[in-house]
Amino acid sequence: MFTNHQSLDLDRIALLATTKPDVIDRYLRFKVRQILNQAKPDSRLMLERLQFRIDGIRRRAGSPMSACLQISKFMHEQLWELNDVLKNGVALTHPKGVANVAEDRPEPPASEVPSLKAKVLPFKRKLDRHLPDNHKPDRH
């Protein structure tokens, strides 16, 4: 299927996602299998379990955007839990069993928050010129 393929660039993936989502889904499963097969045996089971949870989130989500947001939230929760283990030696999880970033983490004092300033650069995707005007991203 994808044995002799070139990596897809972001514009090609975005185009295929809107025109042929089944191709993107097959490509994703192929790349996941490829990564799992290359993983060290002692890491493979953990990675397969993680992928199983991610696949479950994708199946239950109502849309690709919802899946993306839910997977992002899940990954952030996992990072907070890892942070707890590294700092405290044990995971300090939410009573529901999941770390909740908004509820469990107090805001740091303003004096401890670094002030970062940066110029935001607009990026134009090649794909945008092929989209109808009502589907183009808003420009600010």
Side-chain angles (χ1 to χ4, degrees):
M1 174 179 15
F2 288 105
T3 53
N4 294 323
H5 72 283
Q6 296 178 345
S7 293
L8 297 176
D9 61 50
L10 184 59
D11 291 328
R12 179 99 171 118
I13 290 172
L15 180 63
L16 285 173
T18 57
T19 58
K20 297 180 180 178
D22 57 318
V23 172
I24 289 296
D25 193 51
R26 283 196 322 263
Y27 182 72
L28 172 67
R29 286 194 314 264
F30 167 76
K31 293 305 280 184
V32 166
R33 277 193 308 273
Q34 189 179 50
I35 290 168
L36 290 174
N37 289 337
Q38 293 172 355
K40 293 179 183 176
D42 55 331
S43 300
R44 189 171 298 138
L45 182 60
M46 179 194 63
L47 292 173
E48 287 172 343
R49 288 176 177 168
L50 178 62
Q51 187 60 45
F52 179 80
R53 292 184 71 182
I54 290 170
D55 289 342
I57 292 170
R58 287 182 67 221
R59 277 191 303 276
R60 288 187 310 271
S63 68
M65 180 57 76
S66 175
C68 180
L69 294 172
Q70 289 177 43
I71 291 168
S72 176
K73 181 181 179 213
F74 167 71
M75 298 306 282
H76 278 93
E77 290 168 350
Q78 296 299 306
L79 283 173
W80 276 115
E81 187 174 314
L82 176 60
N83 184 46
D84 286 342
V85 170
L86 292 174
K87 282 185 173 180
N88 308 312
V90 66
L92 305 174
T93 57
H94 192 272
K96 295 178 185 173
V98 183
N100 186 321
V101 176
E103 293 176 14
D104 295 342
R105 304 292 179 252
E107 289 289 324
S111 61
E112 294 180 18
V113 177
S115 175
L116 301 175
K117 295 182 181 182
K119 181 178 179 182
V120 177
L121 301 174
F123 288 96
K124 295 181 181 178
R125 301 181 310 173
K126 294 177 187 176
L127 178 66
D128 289 348
R129 66 175 176 240
H130 301 293
L131 293 173
D133 287 337
N134 60 341
H135 289 1
K136 289 185 180 179
D138 293 333
R139 301 288 184 217
H140 297 286

